[in-house]
Structures are given as C-alpha cells and as structure tokens.
Amino acid sequence: MNTFFGGLGRFVVRFRYLVVLAWIVAIVVSSHSLPSLGSQVNNDNSQFLPSSAPSSQAASLLAPILGSSTTTSETTIVASRPAGPLTSADQAAIAREVHAVDGVTRVTGARELGASPDGRATEIVVKLGVNSSDVATQKTVLGGIQATFSRVGAPAGLKLDLAGAIATNVANQKSSNSTGSKTQSLSLLLIVVLLLIIFRSLLAPLVTLLPAAFALLVSTRFIGGLGADGLKISEITELLLIVLILGAGTDYGLFLVFRVREELRHGLEPHEAVIHALVRVGESISASAGTVIFALLSLLLASFGIYKDLGIPLALGIAVMLLAGLTLLPALLAIFGKAVFWPSQVDRAPTKVGAWSSIATRLVARPGITLVTGVVIFGALAAAALGYHSGGFGGSLNAPAGTDAAAGNAALTRYFPGASENPANIALVYTRPLWQDPAAAVAAERSLIGSGRFTQISGPLDPNGHALSPATYTRLRELLGVPTKLSAVDPYPARIPLAAYNAFRSTSQFVSPDGRTIQFEATLRAGGQQSTAAMDATPQIRAVVERAAGASGAVRSGLAGEAAALFDVSSTSNHDLTHIVPVAILAIAILLALVLRSAIAPLYLIVSVALSYLAALGVSTIAFIDIGGSSGITFILPFLMFLFLLALGEDYNILVMTRIREEAHDLPLHEAVVRAVARTGPTVTSAGLVLAGTFGVLAITGGSGSSGSQIRDIGFGLAIGILMDTFLVRTLIVPSVVALLGRWNWWPAKLSQADTTPDERAPALAGAAGSASET
C-alpha cells in the first residue's frame, strides 16, 4: 500500500495544476448537465414503504377510487367565497377553471365534486398523470394549475387555492431546499471558524475545506441525476449528505494536513512532505472512507425505502470525497507549500510537551483504572436508554405558513368539515355494487362509529356533510347514473334537491366505478395522523376495520393513511435494524482486520462503538423525553445513530490504531501508545469537533425545517455520540485496552511477537512524552 500511495503522491504533486483544473471542469460540467439534488426531494415518507406493507396493500385496494400511486396522483382545488354563498358568476368561473385545468400538461382530468353544506365552497379534483413520488414533475404541473387561477376571470371575492397531500408535499419541498441551503451555509461557516482556531492560520482552513466543498458540489449533481432517473430522495438524505461530506470530508483533510505539518516540522521540503504524509495516512483515510461506504451500502439490504435509498447517495458522496481527499487536497498543499500555515511557523524546531502527551503518559501508567472508570460512566449513561421509546416519523404534512397549500388546506377543513387533507382511509371491498346493497355501507359505518375510535367519519352515504339514506342513494344512481359525469352547472331534475344532487356527485370520492370498493375517511380520536398516539393506535384501528368488514359482509379490507403507514415504517425499521446491523458490523470488522493486520483489535473496537452508541442514546433519551417532555424520539434515530457511529467512530479508531502500529515498529508498545495518542490527539479532537459541529448545525437548521423534530433528534444524537467518541472512547478507552493487551493487539501479525515487559515501561515514557507533541 505504501508503494501505491507513494506513486499517487508523486503523480499528484507533479501534475498538481492539472488536478485542480480537472476538478473545476467536473464541477462546471455536472452543474450544467445534471439536475440539482433539491429538485428531487420527497418529504412523504410513507411512499418509501415496500408494497408488502399492510398500509401499501390497503392503498392498492383504494386504487379504483384514488388511482394507482405508480402512474397517477391527485390534487384538489378549493374554490370558496368566505363572504357568502357561491353566486352564478362564481359557478361560471369555476366551470371555466375546470376547463382551463383540463388543458394543463400532464393533467388527465378535472371535475367539480359539489358544493359545501353552507354553499360557500366547492372542490375541484384534478387527476395528474404523474407518479405520486415524482415531486419535481408535480411541482411543474401544480405551477401550471396555479397559473390558470388568474386567467379564468374569477369574480372579486372568489378564492382559488390548491389543497391536499400533493400540494403540501410540493410546498414542503421548497421549504426543504431552503433548509438544505441554510444547513450548508452554516456548516461551512462553522467549519471555517473552527479551522481558524485550530490552525491559527488564514489559508489552512480554506485548503482543508475546499476539497469537501468541491466534492459536495459534484456529488449533489450526480445524485440529483439519479433522483431524476427514479431514485427516491428524502429530506433526510439531502441534509445528511451535506453534513456528512462537509464534516467527514474535513476530517479526512485534517488527517492529511496535520501529517503534512508534522513532516514539515521534521525538516522535509513541502513537496516531499506531501508525498510522505500521503504514504503515512493515505491508507488510514481510504480505510476510514471505506468503513463508511461499507456501512452505507449495507443499507441496500433494507426493506424501508428511506434506509435503502440512503445507501447509494451517501456512499457515492463519500467516494467522491475520498477521491478529492487523495487528489485535490495534496495538489493544493503542494501548490501553496508552507504558505498554507502562515503566519504559524512550521520550520524544524524543538518539540514541546503538550496536553495529550501528559494525558497519554498518565493513561499508560494506569490503563486499568482509566478503562474501568470509562466503562462505568458509559454504562450509567447507557442505562438511561432503557427509558427510550419511539415517536412518529412522518415528515411534515402541514404546509408552510403563507403558502397556497396552507390556505387551501385551511379552506378544505373550514368548508368541508367531514373532509381532511390528511385522513385515515378505510378500504372495504364487496362482491356486489353498493347501489344494489347500500345497507352494507350503513352496517360498516355503524360498526366504525360504535367502536368509539373516531371523532368524524365521511363515507359513501355522507360524502360532503349532507347525509343520503340508502334508498335515496339507490334512487339517485338510477336517475343520474355515474356521478363523475355530472356537472354542477348542468340543470338537475327539479324533483331532486340541490343538496342531495351535490352529495351524490361527491360520492365518486368514496365509491369505485364498479361500486364494489368503498372508502371511509376518518379522523382518529387518538390524535392527528402525524402523532405518536395515532401511530401507536394502528393495531387497534385495524382490528376495528376488520370487525366492520365482517359486520358488513366485505371480502377484503384495509387501513391506509399516514398513521398506518408510519406504524408500518416503524415495524419495517425495527426489522431492518436486526438484519442490517450484523452485516455492517461484520463488513467493518473484516476491513479493520485487514487494515490493522489484527484479528483481536477489531473485536474491542466494535465493542467500543456499541458502548458509545448506547451512552449517546441514553443522553438523547434524557434530553428529549425526561427533560424535554417529548412523547418519543423518532424511531429512525437508533438505526442511523448506530450505523453512523459505527462507521465514523472507526475513522478515528483507524487513525489512532494505525499510528500506534506505526510507532510500535520502532518503540516498545507502551511508549508507542504515548507517542501515538500525543500525535493523533489534536487531530482526533479537531476532527471530532468539526464533525459534531456539523451535526449540531443539522439539529438546529433541520429542526426548524419541514421535517421538524425528527431532524433535530438525529442531529443532536449524532453530535453527542461523536463528541463522546472523540474525547473519551478513541483517546482514552481504546488506548487503555491497547496498553493492557500488549502484543496481543496485533495477533496474528508478526508485530505480535514483539514483547514489551513492564520493566521497559518507566524509562520509555519520559522520552516519549518529551518528543511526542506537535500541537
């Protein structure tokens, strides 16, 4: 490996200007030829469920009414006059709107459902020939629909607003783009400030950060292209990509820049220092990135789409970052040379004893006490994780304030109290059409209401707030035929009351064309669809639906909607946790064994990650549940926290352990530990602060975005975990284990045959402490 990285270093140093130019060309070409990542974000997390999930199967049952999510989607226009009932001029304008919308590209049909009970509003349902997860196309189509509002000559006082899940998701996507930009900007600012403090130099922060920024620009475009080709991208993916590339990328930069500075202080010329540093830490950087990539690719085994679709984008981002770290960063260091560290001096000078030298000396003198103390502290924090319980994870289904979708949803709730922009959908399938046996709907509704689980239910016989008797429904079907073919402005038979006529027209939202599938839209007594209580109530609601199906003679039934989907997401997530974590552990353990040439070290390094993970989960539980009073923590946190701490924590393990191994070739092991901890302590501390800081930014900016508390939980949990990993596990606990195990750390490699006796320890430590620090 030294030969490879030596050759790479010489190539990059020799062609340093061409390397920089190649990266600039890559940014320009990708920016002009590929879509942005933000344009592909989808905030509806229920769309990431597998087709085998019960809520997905229920949605399939409702396809004859609502359409198939793979080929169609649906939005609603609410036309309302807050000051009074709709006028004839309003009705004429609404008819023109229906006609205008029907001409918008990708709109497959538009029709008015009927007036509200108070006559002040009506709904226009618009069918789109767009996949329900294709947010980019939906955004374009909705823009075209909104453009028609100003062209139909609506009378003064008539409002036209978009409403429903599609309009809300598009509005939230715009908010996500803003959140992503804010996260990126604040992360860059934080990293620059930290690097200025760390290096006390003007140019070093920019040189260290620039490769990460270049990698982010290139990878977001590539991933945006994958999104345009069908890869589903959530807001979680977008935000994690930003903080991961900027945070981990800066870490890899610190690994190399610190080593270059060390080589310069040893008297090497700048170009030789870059080559020598790349030989020494190139393998560590590659292995560190490799652990992250392996961990991320293990997500391809997941059933839950958000996990599965995280793998490729984030792994691609880290791969691009690794390439930048091994080519662009050495090229920049070779171009600027010692000027990178100005005004700090990097000429050969006597070394001084620093804080990490003193810590390492005490640690090696009493490794057992250090280890036991650390395990007790982490064990106490981990015990708090017993109080963990999960909360919802739905993404935002409330449109941002001030948007057209927010106004439309409010109008929908106001004028159609039986409707909801986010209802629970109950599907029932029968052998006979409803108009031949309307008593089935009566029996089903009676059973549902009798359960006491719902505060409001709308169905085939109560579609818009005006109730229809079974006999009336059957008679209207005989007289009027298919409700989708009826128009609000056409003359209706004089013997049919207007309210009944409009109610029958609205039944098309609850009854399939063949009459054999019906749906009820329900509001749960447990709470809103996004709430943890509603999610937890899903098994009981499904049991209620099964009883209603039995009472009414339905042959199939199901429960769809956000709460049911979230329950299925939670179940799928727990399943993935038990199946993917062992695979990720095994893959990373094998990589560690290859990099460290040891079968023993990977065992306690993996255990150290598990210890810091449980402690971080315990701190999160204390912060959000015990102190913050939350009903639960987003259930994606344990999975992502373990995966990222496993991968990112091993980055620091690799840096520390490879440096101990490097020093152990020439020094007794305990002296090698002292020198390695002293040399890598500043690097690990700096890298940990940068990475934890970027996740802290994620907690702040993401927590105020459309996905709310779930991003806050993830950002805070990972920041705490990384800080504990940095200051306690990697720099104290792991070196203590190394000191206790002695030569067995490297078994079965040849290095395990070297022996360090206790008598060698004392005279060695003083010399190591005096020459180790490079801070």
Side-chain angles (χ1 to χ4, degrees):
M1 293 301 290
N2 287 350
T3 302
F4 170 79
F5 286 109
L8 177 63
R10 287 186 290 273
F11 174 86
V12 170
V13 168
R14 181 179 180 183
F15 300 103
R16 52 195 178 278
Y17 293 103
L18 288 178
V19 169
V20 174
L21 179 62
W23 276 97
I24 294 174
V25 170
I27 291 175
V28 173
V29 172
S30 61
S31 297
H32 284 81
S33 61
L34 296 172
S36 67
L37 176 63
S39 66
Q40 307 300 317
V41 171
N42 185 346
N43 280 307
D44 185 359
N45 297 321
S46 63
Q47 293 183 9
F48 293 87
L49 275 171
S51 59
S52 59
S55 58
S56 298
Q57 294 177 344
S60 298
L61 293 179
L62 292 170
I65 302 174
L66 303 180
S68 171
S69 63
T70 59
T71 57
T72 64
S73 50
E74 180 181 289
T75 192
T76 301
I77 301 173
V78 181
S80 63
R81 176 173 287 278
L86 297 172
T87 65
S88 58
D90 293 337
Q91 291 288 1
I94 292 169
R96 292 194 297 271
E97 177 62 27
V98 172
H99 180 73
V101 169
D102 222 1
V104 174
T105 303
R106 303 297 291 268
V107 170
T108 59
R111 58 190 174 85
E112 185 189 350
L113 288 184
S116 61
D118 63 5
R120 298 189 179 201
T122 189
E123 292 180 82
I124 301 173
V125 173
V126 184
K127 298 285 187 180
L128 312 179
V130 181
N131 187 299
S132 61
S133 63
D134 187 357
V135 185
T137 304
Q138 289 170 353
K139 179 180 177 181
T140 302
V141 176
L142 262 58
I145 293 174
Q146 285 182 305
T148 65
F149 294 172
S150 61
R151 299 201 301 261
V152 297
L158 179 65
K159 296 180 60 181
L160 297 171
D161 298 295
L162 286 167
I166 297 299
T168 299
N169 198 23
V170 169
N172 278 321
Q173 191 230 35
K174 296 178 182 178
S175 174
S176 297
N177 291 344
S178 174
T179 302
S181 298
K182 187 187 300 182
T183 301
Q184 181 172 316
S185 299
L186 290 180
S187 295
L188 288 170
L189 178 61
L190 174 70
I191 292 172
V192 169
V193 171
L194 288 175
L195 292 181
L196 283 171
I197 296 172
I198 290 167
F199 287 114
R200 297 184 292 279
S201 166
L202 297 178
L203 193 55
L206 297 180
V207 170
T208 305
L209 182 57
L210 197 60
F214 274 40
L216 182 62
L217 291 173
V218 172
S219 59
T220 52
R221 290 292 175 171
F222 278 117
I223 297 165
L226 293 176
D229 288 336
L231 180 68
K232 293 181 181 179
I233 299 173
S234 68
E235 185 182 14
I236 296 290
T237 302
E238 180 188 26
L239 295 178
L240 283 179
L241 181 71
I242 293 171
V243 299
L244 192 60
I245 290 183
L246 292 180
T250 304
D251 281 5
Y252 301 154
L254 286 169
F255 291 0
L256 182 61
V257 174
F258 267 106
R259 192 60 187 253
V260 168
R261 188 175 69 174
E262 181 181 331
E263 300 300 337
L264 288 172
R265 286 177 171 173
H266 286 163
L268 293 182
E269 291 302 313
H271 289 181
E272 286 300 318
V274 171
I275 296 171
H276 195 265
L278 194 59
V279 170
R280 291 299 188 184
V281 300
E283 184 179 8
S284 297
I285 294 174
S286 300
S288 297
T291 60
V292 180
I293 291 172
F294 276 136
L296 292 170
L297 291 180
S298 69
L299 291 173
L300 295 177
L301 302 175
S303 300
F304 182 31
I306 278 191
Y307 294 162
K308 188 172 185 177
D309 294 334
L310 268 177
I312 291 178
L314 298 187
L316 176 60
I318 291 298
V320 174
M321 182 60 247
L322 174 62
L323 183 62
L326 295 179
T327 57
L328 180 58
L329 180 57
L332 293 172
L333 290 169
I335 290 171
F336 292 104
K338 293 181 180 181
V340 170
F341 303 100
W342 183 88
S344 298
Q345 296 296 318
V346 291
D347 294 326
R348 181 188 291 272
T351 56
K352 58 183 179 179
V353 177
W356 283 110
S357 291
S358 301
I359 292 173
T361 302
R362 295 188 180 95
L363 181 153
V364 171
R366 298 178 179 83
I369 295 176
T370 303
L371 179 61
V372 171
T373 302
V375 170
V376 169
I377 293 173
F378 274 74
L381 293 174
L386 296 174
Y388 165 84
H389 52 272
S390 63
F393 178 69
S396 179
L397 289 177
N398 296 317
T403 62
D404 186 56
N409 290 340
L412 193 65
T413 302
R414 175 182 176 184
Y415 297 113
F416 298 91
S420 169
E421 71 273 17
N422 184 25
N425 303 95
I426 298 170
L428 297 170
V429 181
Y430 299 92
T431 57
R432 299 172 61 194
L434 181 64
W435 49 84
Q436 294 181 7
D437 185 18
V442 175
E445 186 169 357
R446 183 183 298 118
S447 178
L448 293 172
I449 294 174
S451 70
R453 293 282 182 176
F454 309 101
T455 60
Q456 196 164 267
I457 293 179
S458 298
L461 302 182
D462 185 17
N464 69 341
H466 180 84
L468 298 173
S469 69
T472 300
Y473 175 79
T474 300
R475 184 169 67 88
L476 291 175
R477 171 71 188 189
E478 292 173 353
L479 291 174
L480 303 176
V482 181
T484 56
K485 297 182 179 180
L486 302 177
S487 172
V489 296
D490 288 342
Y492 51 87
R495 61 183 178 277
I496 300 175
L498 177 60
Y501 178 83
N502 283 328
F504 180 73
R505 290 178 60 245
S506 298
T507 61
S508 60
Q509 289 293 96
F510 297 90
V511 184
S512 64
D514 66 2
R516 289 179 168 82
T517 301
I518 69 172
Q519 78 150 330
F520 291 91
E521 292 185 348
T523 302
L524 304 186
R525 190 175 299 279
Q529 288 285 290
Q530 290 177 283
S531 67
T532 300
M535 181 186 75
D536 292 340
T538 296
Q540 292 76 30
I541 301 299
R542 283 178 172 155
V544 168
V545 172
E546 289 179 3
R547 287 196 296 270
S552 61
V555 293
R556 295 186 67 187
S557 64
L559 175 67
E562 190 69 10
L566 291 180
F567 180 84
D568 292 340
V569 166
S570 179
S571 301
T572 305
S573 176
N574 292 336
H575 174 271
D576 287 341
L577 184 64
T578 59
H579 285 74
I580 292 176
V581 166
V583 174
I585 289 175
L586 179 61
I588 291 178
I590 292 173
L591 183 61
L592 287 173
L594 293 174
V595 172
L596 300 177
R597 285 76 159 173
S598 169
I600 302 298
L603 299 179
Y604 62 78
L605 295 179
I606 295 292
V607 171
S608 71
V609 169
L611 191 62
S612 61
Y613 158 72
L614 292 174
L617 185 60
V619 172
S620 298
T621 301
I622 294 171
F624 294 126
I625 296 179
D626 298 336
I627 298 176
S630 297
S631 59
I633 301 176
T634 178
F635 52 75
I636 197 174
L637 177 63
F639 185 89
L640 290 183
M641 183 184 287
F642 185 85
L643 198 69
F644 279 95
L645 289 182
L646 176 66
L648 297 173
E650 298 305 349
D651 287 1
Y652 305 151
N653 271 334
I654 289 171
L655 181 68
V656 174
M657 292 296 291
T658 53
R659 189 58 185 262
I660 292 175
R661 190 191 66 200
E662 177 187 334
E663 300 292 348
H665 279 94
D666 302 316
L667 298 171
L669 181 60
H670 287 78
E671 184 179 349
V673 170
V674 172
R675 180 168 293 183
V677 170
R679 293 280 175 85
T680 61
T683 307
V684 172
T685 301
S686 302
L689 286 173
V690 167
L691 192 57
T694 55
F695 279 113
V697 169
L698 175 64
I700 296 171
T701 58
S704 62
S706 61
S707 293
S709 62
Q710 59 201 18
I711 303 292
R712 177 207 64 188
D713 294 354
I714 294 169
F716 179 84
L718 288 172
I720 290 297
I722 289 168
L723 286 175
M724 290 194 297
D725 213 62
T726 299
F727 288 97
L728 298 175
V729 177
R730 304 301 148 228
T731 48
L732 297 177
I733 294 179
V734 168
S736 297
V737 177
V738 174
L740 289 171
L741 289 178
R743 61 188 178 88
W744 291 104
N745 284 286
W746 317 115
W747 185 86
K750 291 182 178 179
L751 194 58
S752 65
Q753 299 172 9
D755 191 17
T756 302
T757 64
D759 292 334
E760 294 175 317
R761 224 184 278 178
L765 296 184
S771 60
S773 177
E774 297 289 338
T775 56

